[in-house]
Amino acid sequence: MEIIVTFLTEAVPRPVSFGVEGNDGALAEFYGIIRQEEAGERIAGLNYEIYADMAEKEIRRILGELRESFPCRKVMVIHRHGFVPVGDAAIYVGVLSRHRQEGFGLLSAFMDRLKKDVPIWKVGAVSC
Amino acid sequence: MEIIVTFLTEAVPRPVSFGVEGNDGALAEFYGIIRQEEAGERIAGLNYEIYADMAEKEIRRILGELRESFPCRKVMVIHRHGFVPVGDAAIYVGVLSRHRQEGFGLLSAFMDRLKKDVPIWKVGAVSC
Amino acid sequence: MSRILFFAQARDAAGCGEIEWRNQGGETAGILWDWLVCTFPDLGSVQAGARLARNGHYLSDGETFGTEDEIAVIPPVSGG
Amino acid sequence: MSRILFFAQARDAAGCGEIEWRNQGGETAGILWDWLVCTFPDLGSVQAGARLARNGHYLSDGETFGTEDEIAVIPPVSGG
């Protein structure tokens, strides 16, 4: 399973370029977007901090485990850090697989694991 | 839940324009892609036929049922018909929701239902 | 007079995409199938897996046809 | 000599992002935490929810530190 991990401070691309090959039958994608309210307060955005070396290792470790249950061909993970304004994506995950079931399964399970184990933090909302 | 259904003969757009609003926290997307083999044979693509009036009604009916379990704000369904070459998407489904769980849930359940009930057919592979 | 639409394998079996059906109204699915298979014998092999739709909705158990319906023969679908 | 990195609330509590730790090697997580809370008392409130990492991996039960480690204090994560 090919894994590409990117951390960036500018906007997450849309679309993400994803080289489709002949046996790829499903592309499942997720953008996690900053909502306009955090803890009941209107915000302009959120700041994110990443421990990049370890975050990449954890992402690869988690995906390596999940591929046993959900064999996919290629996964791209992009996480933005620094200030992310409302309406922009903080994270993108894209999965190419033969069938949709393993792609959906990997995507959903990966997001659950990311939110528990990958050293990335919201470090405070920025008020409007 | 806003629902937009489109049938077209040209390529499915990438990206699909999707007006994100302030409470949208998750965009889950799926492209179903034509693989290079069908029933063990190399193909150039597949032909699809759609009973468009009924297909749109069925899609709206299915989504209306699923929104009870998976409340989302906006769903876009695009299905291509006529000849679809290998590597191109035959279907796109995009879901905007507050949280990712209901978006993933709707997307996955909708694809299962579509493949059982929506009057769209592969009407033959086109050989290489 | 109703219209009957044929899709996918049903179109191949009937040899056309659409016909008229000069029905009286009140016919059941069974009566329509009998008429269809009598008129287009090749539809016999499609019948087992196919569903009927009336005005864009799958026919319910016991539902009957009216005289100005758009009826469709729906072989197993394979979209996506 | 090892380095200790602080992130998020741990950075706020320590007042800096990184320090050096002139350790002997063989220290347990408990020994490190005692030293950290003694040095930066505000880290006491972070300790309960935080995990430690060593060279980019979460510390296993019973694992001890070497003398040239990159150690990190990882408060509860909130990515995505």
Side-chain angles (χ1 to χ4, degrees), chain B residues 28-50:
Chain B
E29 298 183 291
F30 171 69
Y31 287 85
I33 301 162
I34 308 296
R35 285 194 300 273
Q36 68 190 4
E37 287 187 2
E38 177 81 1
E41 297 285 312
R42 275 272 181 157
I43 61 167
L46 292 173
N47 277 307
Y48 280 87
E49 182 177 343
I50 301 182

Side-chain angles (χ1 to χ4, degrees), chain A residues 32 34 48-51 53-54 57-58 61 79 90-91 111 114-123, chain D residues 5-9 11 51-58 70-80:
Chain A
I34 307 296
Y48 280 86
E49 182 176 344
I50 301 181
Y51 178 15
D53 289 353
M54 180 172 170
K57 283 182 190 158
E58 277 292 300
R61 184 182 65 77
H79 206 299
I91 190 170
M111 285 304 303
L114 175 123
K115 285 172 177 284
K116 281 200 299 194
D117 287 334
V118 178
I120 301 176
W121 299 267
K122 294 177 189 164
V123 286
Chain D
L5 312 181
F6 301 110
F7 293 95
Q9 304 98 294
R11 178 201 300 269
R51 286 181 281 182
L52 296 173
R54 178 178 172 239
N55 301 326
H57 299 278
Y58 287 110
E70 178 175 290
I71 300 164
V73 177
I74 312 277
V77 304
S78 53

Side-chain angles (χ1 to χ4, degrees), chain A residues 15-68:
Chain A
V16 171
S17 297
F18 225 123
V20 172
E21 295 184 358
N23 290 319
D24 297 330
L27 172 57
E29 299 183 290
F30 171 70
Y31 287 85
I33 300 163
I34 307 296
R35 285 194 300 274
Q36 68 191 3
E37 286 188 3
E38 177 81 3
E41 297 284 312
R42 276 272 181 154
I43 60 167
L46 292 174
N47 277 306
Y48 280 86
E49 182 176 344
I50 301 181
Y51 178 15
D53 289 353
M54 180 172 170
E56 176 161 355
K57 283 182 190 158
E58 277 292 300
I59 289 169
R60 289 181 182 277
R61 184 182 65 77
I62 291 166
L63 289 172
E65 285 180 29
L66 293 178
R67 70 183 290 185
E68 304 298 318

Side-chain angles (χ1 to χ4, degrees), chain D residues 13-44:
Chain D
C16 65
E18 181 175 344
I19 57 166
E20 294 177 353
W21 182 36
R22 296 177 180 279
N23 65 328
Q24 308 286 314
E27 296 87 356
T28 62
I31 286 172
L32 174 57
W33 273 117
D34 288 347
W35 183 80
L36 282 172
V37 174
C38 182
T39 311
F40 305 100
D42 289 353
L43 277 175

